[in-house]
């Protein structure tokens, strides 16, 4: 039997050091915390100083707090309470804060109040610093969007359609009671029912008052109708006032959450129930270069198509001009967006809806009679149908988009489709075939098609997949940021700005 015993390194918690180690020695030279420290030290944070009062007690230095918050987002610590604990427990946070210990209220107030007007400038400073180092370009960007769930209750919501339905019921009920009042008025003058095409709280209140005035003089009133009138009197003025307030909050949106009225219900990819349930969320748009975030905007509408105007406007505000090259997927391919980019001299490698399908060799075989396959006679301004008959111009169709942009299409109608051997294959309508052609949009699509299939266009399309899209995957899945912690547009923009700065610093550190 062996008498040997295992050997251990010395362990003595009470050992006193002659020269205690400094925090500087405990932080590795290549650690990301040093990158955070270096970047924040090199940018101008003067706009942040304006958020502080010149009177009163001294405050924690904003540069220190900014470093703590940014490094927290770099290391996946988003909670103000966890940041407070980290300043007391983590060597890296202690080194960064200079052994200051701000509490969670100070950190939260700094993040949501102090940074409100300064964070965009800080983000831009970081981007320009990285551009100066040659790590990214602010002239050639890739644009995409994702939806991030809001910090809001998923089951307390307001829907525009429900409001409209309830208002229609109110109109119908008031009209029925008014018609009864007219029939029971015994010859007394009662004006025709009010115009209920649109209703507001003043119109509803006046109608209710008039009905009560007329019917109060009658003795034999139908009990059911009297009950309806009592219900209308008690509830309708209050309800219509609430609907008007809700519609003011909705604006152009279709829904919002009661616990964060800036959040809109959207369909998210992170649907663990796999039932297509809508959740309150924000549409986050970014432009990237070399997997660095160059620009970001927050939008309440779920479709990417309507976000580009505001996104480019923010880009111009940040850097003085629009980027020279923008690459984006088919979600941005609209007449309004093509016109916007053309007017600003931007080379747009932006797909349109059918671009990918048109690349298939079988596309033409599957849709041989589509409008874009028909021959156009420019001199006679007519199309020729598959049977060789003229389709003459019959007028224009104007459509206003949700953003107010006017699209104009020219309509062409065929003759004598009844009895045609291709009827049913050429088109599915019962009468003569009518096609609508948006001349401007078709011209833009042709230019986009040529650009996208050029040598540079193919290169940009390939690069887009591994430039902008991995950023969202990294933030959501590698760093666990799938839901905002703050509420409201302003605070959500602050939070995403910190996420964007953290992404850029992580990329630089890597």
């Amino acid at each position: 039997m062996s008498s040997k015993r295992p050997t251990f390194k010395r362990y003595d918690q009470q050992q006193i050091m002659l020269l205690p180690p400094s925090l500087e020695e405990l932080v590795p030279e290549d650690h990301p915390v040093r990158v955070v420290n270096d970047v924040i030290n090199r940018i101008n944070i003067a706009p942040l100083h304006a958020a502080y009062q010149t009177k009163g007690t001294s405050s924690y230095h904003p540069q220190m707090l900014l470093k703590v918050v940014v490094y927290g987002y770099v290391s996946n610590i988003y909670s103000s309470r966890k940041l407070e604990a980290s300043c007391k427990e983590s060597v890296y946070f202690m080194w960064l804060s200079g052994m200051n210990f701000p509490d969670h209220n100070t950190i939260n107030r700094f993040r949501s109040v102090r940074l409100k007007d300064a964070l965009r400038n800080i983000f831009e400073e970081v981007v320009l610093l990285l551009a100066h180092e040659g790590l990214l370009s602010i002239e050639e960007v890739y644009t995409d969007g994702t939806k991030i769930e809001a910090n809001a209750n998923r089951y307390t919501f307001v829907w525009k359609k429900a409001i409209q339905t309830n208002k229609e019921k109110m109109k119908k009920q008031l009209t029925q009671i008014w018609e009864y009042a007219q029939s029971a008025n015994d010859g007394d003058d009662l004006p025709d029912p009010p115009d209920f095409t649109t209703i507001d709280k003043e119109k509803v209140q006046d109608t209710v008052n008039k009905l009560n005035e007329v019917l109060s003089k009658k003795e034999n009133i139908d009990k059911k109708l009297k009950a309806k009138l009592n219900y209308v009197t008690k509830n309708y003025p209050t309800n219509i006032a609430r609907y008007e307030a809700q519609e003011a909050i909705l604006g152009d949106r279709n829904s919002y959450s009661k616990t964060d009225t800036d959040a809109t219900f959207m369909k998210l990819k992170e649907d663990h129930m796999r039932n297509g349930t809508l959740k309150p969320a924000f549409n986050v748009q970014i432009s990237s270069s070399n997997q660095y975030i160059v620009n970001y905007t927050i939008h309440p509408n779920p479709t990417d198509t309507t976000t580009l105007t505001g996104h480019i406007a923010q880009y111009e505000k940040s850097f003085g001009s629009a980027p020279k090259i923008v690459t984006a997927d088919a979600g941005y391919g609209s007449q309004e967006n093509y016109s916007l980019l053309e007017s600003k001299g931007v080379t747009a490698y932006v797909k349109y809806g059918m671009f990918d399908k048109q690349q298939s060799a079988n596309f033409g075989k599957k849709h041989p009679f589509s409008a874009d396959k028909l021959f156009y006679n420019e001199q006679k301004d007519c199309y020729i149908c598959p049977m060789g008959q003229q389709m003459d111009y019959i007028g224009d169709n104007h459509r206003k988009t949700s953003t107010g942009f006017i699209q104009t299409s020219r309509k062409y109608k065929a003759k004598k489709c009844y009895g045609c051997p291709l009827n049913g294959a050429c088109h599915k309508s019962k009468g003569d075939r009518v096609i609508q052609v948006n001349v401007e949009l078709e011209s833009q699509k042709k230019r986009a098609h040529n650009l996208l299939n050029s040598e540079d266009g193919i290169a940009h399309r390939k690069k887009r997949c591994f430039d902008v899209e991995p950023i969202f995957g990294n933030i959501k899945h590698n760093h666990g940021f799938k839901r905002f912690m703050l509420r409201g547009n302003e605070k959500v923009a602050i939070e995403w700005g910190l996420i964007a700065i953290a992404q850029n610093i992580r990329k630089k550190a890597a």
Side-chain angles (χ1 to χ4, degrees):
M1 182 175 178
S2 176
S3 61
K4 291 184 178 181
R5 295 182 179 181
T7 57
F8 299 103
K9 293 184 184 296
R10 184 179 178 183
Y11 174 62
D12 185 359
Q13 288 182 288
Q14 307 304 319
Q15 176 66 50
I16 299 175
M17 295 183 181
L18 179 62
L19 295 173
S22 69
L23 291 174
E24 183 71 29
E25 295 173 352
L26 299 177
V27 179
E29 288 296 328
D30 59 348
H31 198 276
V33 72
R34 291 191 180 273
V35 181
V36 172
N37 188 62
D38 176 61
V39 169
I40 302 301
N41 282 340
R42 291 167 62 189
I43 64 173
N44 176 25
I45 64 167
L48 184 55
H49 295 172
Y52 288 84
Q53 296 180 353
T54 55
K55 298 180 180 179
T57 186
S58 60
S59 304
Y60 284 108
H61 201 287
Q63 189 177 47
M64 180 274 291
L65 288 172
L66 181 61
K67 289 177 182 179
V68 167
V69 172
V70 169
Y71 181 64
Y73 277 72
V74 168
S75 52
N76 308 337
I77 302 174
Y78 309 118
S79 162
S80 58
R81 292 183 183 274
K82 290 182 179 179
L83 287 172
E84 176 189 359
S86 297
C87 288
K88 298 174 183 177
E89 300 168 358
S90 168
V91 170
Y92 306 122
F93 279 92
M94 290 180 189
W95 175 79
L96 205 57
S97 68
M99 294 298 289
N100 285 289
F101 306 111
D103 62 19
H104 65 274
N105 286 323
T106 301
I107 294 171
N108 194 48
R109 185 166 55 250
F110 173 80
R111 177 172 57 182
S112 59
V113 178
R114 308 293 193 195
L115 284 176
K116 181 174 63 174
D117 298 321
L119 186 65
R120 176 65 70 167
N121 296 95
I122 294 169
F123 169 77
E124 292 163 4
E125 287 279 333
V126 172
V127 170
L128 292 173
L129 174 66
L130 298 173
H132 181 71
E133 293 182 357
L135 297 174
L136 59 85
S137 168
I138 60 173
E139 295 184 346
E140 181 179 320
V141 298
Y142 299 84
T143 299
D144 201 1
T146 192
K147 298 172 182 64
I148 304 288
E149 186 176 353
N151 180 13
N153 192 311
R154 301 171 185 175
Y155 308 106
T156 56
F157 41 76
V158 173
W159 293 95
K160 178 180 284 187
K161 190 173 182 179
I163 294 175
Q164 293 171 344
T165 300
N166 290 335
K167 288 173 75 172
E168 288 299 321
K169 290 179 180 178
M170 292 173 69
K171 295 176 187 179
K172 185 177 179 180
Q173 194 80 280
L174 289 170
T175 301
Q176 287 177 351
I177 299 174
W178 193 280
E179 289 173 352
Y180 175 84
Q182 280 183 316
S183 64
N185 205 29
D186 299 333
D188 295 338
D189 290 334
L190 185 67
D192 291 332
D195 181 12
F196 288 131
T197 305
T198 58
I199 60 173
D200 52 41
K201 56 186 177 182
E202 288 80 12
K203 185 181 290 186
V204 169
Q205 187 65 63
D206 290 343
T207 303
V208 168
N209 292 341
K210 186 66 176 178
L211 288 170
N212 278 297
E213 179 185 347
V214 172
L215 295 178
S216 64
K217 301 174 184 178
K218 308 298 176 184
E219 295 181 358
N220 299 322
I221 301 178
D222 183 75
K223 290 183 179 180
K224 289 185 179 180
L225 194 97
K226 189 173 182 179
K228 286 183 180 180
L229 181 59
N230 290 337
Y231 179 85
V232 165
T233 303
K234 182 180 179 181
N235 295 288
Y236 277 18
T238 305
N239 289 351
I240 194 67
R242 183 175 73 253
Y243 294 152
E244 288 180 355
Q246 290 172 343
E247 286 178 324
I249 296 172
L250 280 166
D252 296 329
R253 296 180 293 161
N254 291 321
S255 62
Y256 70 81
S257 171
K258 290 182 179 179
T259 49
D260 184 353
T261 56
D262 290 333
T264 307
F265 279 79
M266 308 178 186
K267 188 174 181 179
L268 306 186
K269 290 182 179 178
E270 294 80 19
D271 182 11
H272 64 281
M273 296 295 289
R274 298 182 182 180
N275 57 3
T277 302
L278 302 180
K279 297 177 184 177
F282 292 91
N283 188 352
V284 178
Q285 297 288 310
I286 67 168
S287 289
S288 72
S289 173
N290 198 25
Q291 292 188 2
Y292 290 92
I293 298 177
V294 180
N295 184 37
Y296 68 89
T297 49
I298 309 294
H299 303 266
N301 44 305
T303 54
D304 291 340
T305 312
T306 58
T307 63
L308 191 62
T309 300
H311 191 71
I312 294 297
Q314 177 60 57
Y315 203 102
E316 291 177 313
K317 185 177 179 181
S318 295
F319 304 112
S321 63
K324 292 183 178 179
I325 298 175
V326 170
T327 306
D329 63 17
Y332 302 86
S334 69
Q335 182 183 352
E336 180 178 5
N337 290 341
Y338 285 132
S339 300
L340 170 73
L341 296 173
E342 286 177 2
S343 68
K344 297 184 180 298
V346 178
T347 302
Y349 297 104
V350 180
K351 296 179 183 179
Y352 48 88
M354 297 295 289
F355 176 80
D356 286 329
K357 290 185 178 180
Q358 288 178 353
Q359 305 310 299
S360 170
N362 294 325
F363 178 78
K365 298 177 182 177
K366 290 181 179 179
H367 305 85
F369 304 124
S370 59
D372 59 316
K373 299 289 191 303
L374 302 181
F375 175 76
Y376 175 66
N377 187 319
E378 191 173 352
Q379 292 180 340
K380 296 182 178 180
D381 187 21
C382 71
Y383 280 85
I384 306 301
C385 81
M387 287 300 293
Q389 302 298 318
Q390 280 191 194
M391 301 180 70
D392 295 324
Y393 169 71
I394 59 171
D396 291 341
N397 180 54
H398 303 283
R399 188 179 76 87
K400 181 184 287 188
T401 66
S402 59
T403 59
F405 185 80
I406 305 296
Q407 294 181 323
T408 301
S409 299
R410 295 174 66 83
K411 296 192 294 184
Y412 296 85
K413 187 175 182 179
K415 301 175 182 177
K416 300 179 181 179
C417 286
Y418 180 76
C420 175
L422 291 179
N423 196 352
C426 175
H427 67 105
K428 303 296 183 182
S429 55
K430 294 181 179 180
D432 294 334
R433 183 181 184 183
V434 176
I435 62 171
Q436 295 190 36
V437 181
N438 187 327
V439 179
E440 178 61 26
L441 179 58
E442 292 304 317
S443 176
Q444 291 171 340
K445 285 181 178 180
K446 287 181 181 178
R447 292 195 292 272
H449 183 274
N450 293 334
L451 268 176
L452 290 163
N453 283 310
S454 66
E455 186 175 342
D456 287 342
I458 294 171
H460 279 88
R461 278 196 284 145
K462 289 181 178 179
K463 189 177 180 181
R464 189 195 70 82
C465 299
F466 57 82
D467 195 297
V468 64
E469 291 182 1
I471 293 175
F472 292 131
N474 186 42
I475 290 171
K476 285 184 174 183
H477 300 288
N478 295 343
H479 297 281
F481 190 86
K482 298 181 180 180
R483 192 170 190 254
F484 287 109
M485 297 184 66
L486 306 181
R487 293 179 176 178
N489 278 330
E490 283 188 349
K491 293 182 179 179
V492 162
I494 292 172
E495 197 168 4
W496 187 260
L498 290 168
I499 286 288
I501 293 172
Q503 165 68 19
N504 289 349
I505 290 178
R506 277 195 298 258
K507 177 68 176 173
K508 176 177 168 60

